[in-house]
Amino acid sequence: MGATGKKVKGRYSFIYVYEDDEWKISHHHSSVMPEGTTAKEISEEEVKNLFQLWNSALATLDPDAVAKRYAKNAVLLPTVSDIPRTDYGLIKDYFVGFLDKKPQGEILESNVTVGHNWCQDAGIYEFTMGATGDKVKGRYSFVYVYEDGEWKIAHHHSSVMPEAFLGPAPKPAVSQEKEAAMA
């Protein structure tokens, strides 16, 4: 279609009227589909593996390598900083200090959602700080977008588990009912 020969998916409507002994178009509407593009497919397992790309960047101890895993308009709400990191420079700056701890993460619980050129992985992870051997468990959410031919982190939120400060939380009643049914 058009100058490039590229196909475009669209939606349309026609309203016809019978006029002067023939059917004529009274109204016609045509527009590109709201999605605009074909979604980049990604499986649940592939979403979970996106964490490993970020974790491998941490292993380089290079803040630039880590910051490059984030999308152009990314937001990082980091574990050990009160400052939202909303651009490349601020994200890189956060990792300058964090990488001194030589962190390596492991996903303990993952909950994946896949959308049109975006996906999310949220759950619980644990970091081992290679510099000290300390372990820190936290909640996380990564929202990824398909940008410039690769999956990038558009939103990353990380926080220490509240139990570390508040003590153990009671289990939800639904969880207790499931455990009783399985016993």
Side-chain angles (χ1 to χ4, degrees):
M1 305 284 288
T4 65
K6 186 176 180 181
K7 291 185 180 182
V8 177
K9 188 174 182 181
R11 55 187 173 183
Y12 65 91
S13 63
F14 288 96
I15 298 175
Y16 295 92
V17 296
Y18 194 71
E19 189 176 279
D20 300 326
D21 292 326
E22 65 180 333
W23 288 101
K24 296 182 179 180
I25 299 170
S26 166
H27 171 80
H28 169 237
H29 169 81
S30 177
S31 61
V32 174
M33 296 296 285
E35 305 86 58
T37 60
T38 303
K40 175 68 174 168
E41 291 189 26
I42 188 165
S43 70
E44 184 173 326
E45 195 59 35
E46 289 171 319
V47 173
K48 290 179 181 183
N49 286 333
L50 292 173
F51 173 80
Q52 294 308 325
L53 294 175
W54 180 78
N55 202 34
S56 294
L58 292 178
T60 69
L61 303 179
D62 178 2
D64 187 57
V66 180
K68 286 180 179 176
R69 296 297 320 142
Y70 289 80
K72 292 175 190 143
N73 294 315
V75 174
L76 167 62
L77 302 173
T79 311
V80 291
S81 173
D82 292 339
I83 301 168
R85 308 303 175 123
T86 57
D87 64 33
Y88 175 82
L90 289 171
I91 292 169
K92 181 179 174 181
D93 176 71
Y94 172 75
F95 286 107
V96 168
F98 186 64
L99 292 175
D100 287 342
K101 298 171 180 29
K102 299 184 174 144
Q104 273 299 281
E106 176 186 2
I107 301 257
L108 304 177
E109 179 184 321
S110 171
N111 302 280
V112 170
T113 303
V114 175
H116 184 88
N117 287 342
W118 68 269
C119 54
Q120 171 185 288
D121 185 0
I124 309 295
Y125 55 17
E126 183 173 67
F127 282 93
T128 301
M129 303 303 171
T132 62
D134 292 343
K135 290 186 179 273
V136 179
K137 194 182 284 187
R139 301 179 288 191
Y140 73 88
S141 60
F142 287 97
V143 177
Y144 301 94
V145 293
Y146 195 68
E147 179 178 281
D148 297 332
E150 62 182 314
W151 290 99
K152 298 278 193 152
I153 302 164
H155 172 85
H156 177 194
H157 177 242
S158 180
S159 60
V160 175
M161 298 294 283
E163 289 84 356
F165 304 101
L166 303 175
K171 288 189 176 183
V174 174
S175 179
Q176 291 173 359
E177 291 170 11
K178 284 183 183 179
E179 287 177 9
M182 292 172 34

